[in-house]
Amino acid sequence: MQFSFANQGLAWSDAYFLAQGLLNTVRLAAAATLVGTLAGIVLGWLRTVSVTARIATAPFVDIIRSVPMIIQLILANSFLSILGFGASPFWFGTVALGAWMSAVTAEVVRAGLLSVPLQYRKSARSLGMTGYQELLYISLPLAFRTGLAPWIGLVLSLIKDSALAGVVGYIEYMRSTQILITRTHETWLLLMGAGLFYFLICYPVSRYSRRLERKVRV
């Protein structure tokens, strides 16, 4: 007995399926960027002002930055499953990508704060500013100018890395594209559409960042 599989073409319902994947990608990238950036700012500041914090957090930062994201996702998912922790794929992807974003953002923040000339800090303190005021009005604005471009690069990387969340069961845009490729065999058309989607997201962010850099340039 011979079996044959019909080549099912794309249908209008597939557009809705892809739109859901698109929305899931945007949600995941936005949530991970927000969580990772806020945590990274705090972590970067702690690693700048405290030697103890820098030593204590060094393993976390070094491991997250060195190990490929897909390996982190698979190992963490397996480890948490063994321990019996259950979480939705969205929240698991948010935590995993947010942890990566926090580690790399922390180094950007630390580099930005260290780039502020010591004379500026001393001058601010000599004018009567407290340590908090000096950080808020002197160090952070100057560090923002230095770290803006690298941070935008990290955001673009995170948007593209969100496609790896499919390995933990999250149906984002790339995963939905792979599902349709398996069913319809429209490989070139769907992959070109996926590439166009990521370009339409990343290119405006890149262009806007250039305008913002010119505005905040000293």
Side-chain angles (χ1 to χ4, degrees):
M1 182 180 294
Q2 296 181 348
F3 295 92
S4 61
F5 297 91
N7 183 7
Q8 303 179 20
L10 292 170
W12 284 110
S13 59
D14 296 330
Y16 176 73
F17 181 64
L18 288 174
Q20 286 183 313
L22 185 153
L23 180 61
N24 288 341
T25 293
V26 173
R27 288 174 58 232
L28 178 62
T33 298
L34 178 62
V35 171
T37 299
L38 294 178
I41 291 173
V42 176
L43 182 60
W45 174 73
L46 288 175
R47 285 173 57 81
T48 303
V49 300
S50 172
V51 176
T52 302
R54 183 163 67 251
I55 296 175
T57 58
F60 167 77
V61 173
D62 291 338
I63 291 173
I64 293 296
R65 294 173 64 200
S66 303
V67 179
M69 175 57 65
I70 191 169
I71 296 178
Q72 296 180 39
L73 286 167
I74 294 173
L75 292 180
N77 184 42
S78 302
F79 181 71
L80 291 177
S81 298
I82 293 174
L83 294 180
F85 290 99
S88 67
F90 169 76
W91 288 112
F92 184 81
T94 298
V95 171
L97 291 171
W100 175 84
M101 188 66 179
S102 67
V104 292
T105 299
E107 291 302 282
V108 170
V109 172
R110 189 168 75 93
L113 290 174
L114 291 177
S115 69
V116 178
L118 183 61
Q119 294 82 354
Y120 289 10
R121 297 178 179 179
K122 290 183 177 180
S123 298
R125 298 304 294 271
S126 67
L127 292 174
M129 286 187 176
T130 63
Y132 172 77
Q133 290 174 326
E134 181 274 323
L135 176 66
L136 183 62
Y137 296 110
I138 304 297
S139 294
L140 283 182
L142 293 176
F144 174 77
R145 294 169 178 171
T146 303
L148 177 61
W151 179 79
I152 291 296
L154 297 177
V155 173
L156 296 178
S157 295
L158 186 141
I159 293 173
K160 292 176 284 187
D161 285 346
S162 65
L164 300 175
V167 300
V168 296
Y170 188 67
I171 309 298
E172 37 69 47
Y173 189 80
M174 195 62 206
R175 180 57 180 164
S176 61
T177 298
Q178 292 172 339
I179 292 173
L180 291 182
I181 289 175
T182 302
R183 182 174 64 82
T184 65
H185 304 292
E186 296 286 354
T187 305
W188 284 102
L189 179 62
L190 289 169
L191 287 181
M192 288 177 63
L196 179 62
F197 161 71
Y198 285 104
F199 174 79
L200 291 177
I201 288 183
C202 295
Y203 183 72
V205 173
S206 178
R207 293 292 299 178
Y208 177 73
S209 69
R210 294 176 187 174
R211 293 181 55 188
L212 190 59
E213 287 176 42
R214 288 194 293 267
K215 288 182 179 181
V216 301
R217 187 176 301 165
V218 179

